[in-house]
Amino acid sequence: MVRLLGFAWISFLLITFSATPVSNRNEHRGVIVWNVGQGLWITAVEENHCRHFDVGGERFAWGKVARLCRSKKNFIYLSHWDWDHIGALSRWPRSWDTCIALPPIGKSSSGKMKMLKKFPRCSEPVELPVWQETKVNTSAGSGKNKRKDSNGLSQVVRYGDFLLPGDSPMKSELQWKNLSWMSSARVLILGHHGSRTSTSDELLQRLPGVKLAIASARYERYKHPHAEVVHRLKTRHIPLLRTEDWGNIWFEK
């Protein structure tokens, strides 16, 4: 257990390997960054519901997620269409009460869009700060204009102390880095899993309150987080946690 002081609502940070037992998981309140390999799945557990920010990766902790969320309403927020951010939807338990709170922008392959249509849209408002790309044709992803890279359409979400930029590249970071609700974030989930194409110096300069960065990636195969990103964080004395090293990372409320 590692204590982090100065967080507004996080009393302590509990880092645990997947095999390590955690007592009273059914009573857990807080945020979990799941160790999914290369990908992203973050769950915020609240009293009556779970919020899932992206649900992708190479492997999934279905048993742990079920203990926390199967008896609650599940809201899903998707940054963009990439499979390593949405793939768990293909195996999502149909018995869980689930809805899509934030769908990806634009269109994707027919298979992905068909998969997403199986889930109803949430009737409740998002109620979280969200940035969306407005200068890109939202019909991109079909026909002759199909994008090979949907990262530029990543939606950026703020949940409490956490800033979740999806795979937002540096070009997009320049558009949203000055928003007032960005600057007070305390925990940064590294864009594009720590790729050198995200987490620019300009962005970090606009996030003076960040006390911790997290990379949900697999360095052995994908070389994320990239050495340049690690150097940028070290220069600003921002500690870096990797799910590859620590397993599931639990923030207890």
Side-chain angles (χ1 to χ4, degrees):
M1 184 183 300
V2 179
R3 291 183 179 273
L4 294 181
L5 303 179
F7 277 46
W9 62 271
I10 299 174
S11 59
F12 61 93
L13 167 64
L14 175 62
I15 306 168
T16 177
F17 291 99
S18 297
T20 303
V22 177
S23 62
N24 298 323
R25 276 182 175 168
N26 290 334
E27 302 303 321
H28 176 84
R29 302 289 185 272
V31 177
I32 308 102
V33 183
W34 299 107
N35 179 25
V36 294
Q38 183 81 1
L40 188 65
W41 184 347
I42 296 176
T43 298
V45 184
E46 301 178 0
E47 183 176 359
N48 298 313
H49 54 269
C50 289
R51 301 177 193 262
H52 305 276
F53 299 96
D54 286 340
V55 288
E58 299 171 301
R59 56 181 179 270
F60 307 119
W62 286 113
K64 297 180 179 67
V65 177
R67 284 192 288 274
L68 293 168
C69 300
R70 65 185 167 193
S71 62
K72 300 182 177 184
K73 181 69 177 280
N74 290 269
F75 299 92
I76 297 179
Y77 303 75
L78 301 173
S79 62
H80 63 302
W81 284 104
D82 283 2
W83 191 254
D84 60 348
H85 291 255
I86 70 170
L89 291 179
S90 66
R91 298 167 52 193
W92 198 268
R94 303 302 297 174
S95 61
W96 295 9
D97 185 4
T98 305
C99 63
I100 303 297
L102 186 69
I105 292 177
K107 299 180 180 180
S108 186
S109 67
S110 59
K112 289 180 180 178
M113 296 187 70
K114 184 177 180 179
M115 178 181 69
L116 202 65
K117 287 181 179 179
K118 295 180 180 179
F119 298 85
R121 289 289 303 273
C122 301
S123 58
E124 299 84 352
V126 173
E127 295 183 341
L128 295 175
V130 177
W131 177 86
Q132 298 175 324
E133 172 64 81
T134 58
K135 297 180 180 179
V136 177
N137 183 355
T138 56
S139 66
S142 62
K144 296 181 180 180
N145 295 323
K146 184 175 181 179
R147 296 175 61 100
K148 295 182 179 180
D149 183 2
S150 66
N151 295 343
L153 293 179
S154 289
Q155 301 176 102
V156 183
V157 179
R158 171 82 184 270
Y159 177 78
D161 286 336
F162 293 80
L163 183 59
L164 304 98
D167 284 352
S168 188
M170 291 182 182
K171 184 177 180 180
S172 296
E173 289 176 356
L174 293 175
Q175 298 180 53
W176 53 260
K177 67 182 179 65
N178 292 320
L179 294 176
S180 59
W181 51 270
M182 300 285 180
S183 60
S184 58
R186 301 293 188 92
V187 181
L188 173 64
I189 307 301
L190 293 184
H192 202 180
H193 319 288
S195 166
R196 66 190 299 180
T197 63
S198 301
T199 318
S200 62
D201 282 320
E202 290 81 1
L203 174 62
L204 292 175
Q205 288 172 5
R206 297 297 302 172
L207 299 174
V210 167
K211 305 299 182 183
L212 180 67
I214 298 177
S216 180
R218 190 148 66 94
Y219 183 83
E220 181 179 353
R221 180 172 180 180
Y222 299 97
K223 305 306 177 185
H224 293 163
H226 194 276
E228 289 186 18
V229 174
V230 174
H231 177 72
R232 292 171 200 155
L233 296 171
K234 285 184 177 180
T235 299
R236 290 167 176 78
H237 307 290
I238 299 174
L240 170 63
L241 295 181
R242 313 173 196 227
T243 54
E244 183 176 31
D245 296 333
W246 293 99
N248 303 323
I249 300 174
W250 299 69
F251 292 82
E252 298 285 350
K253 192 170 181 178

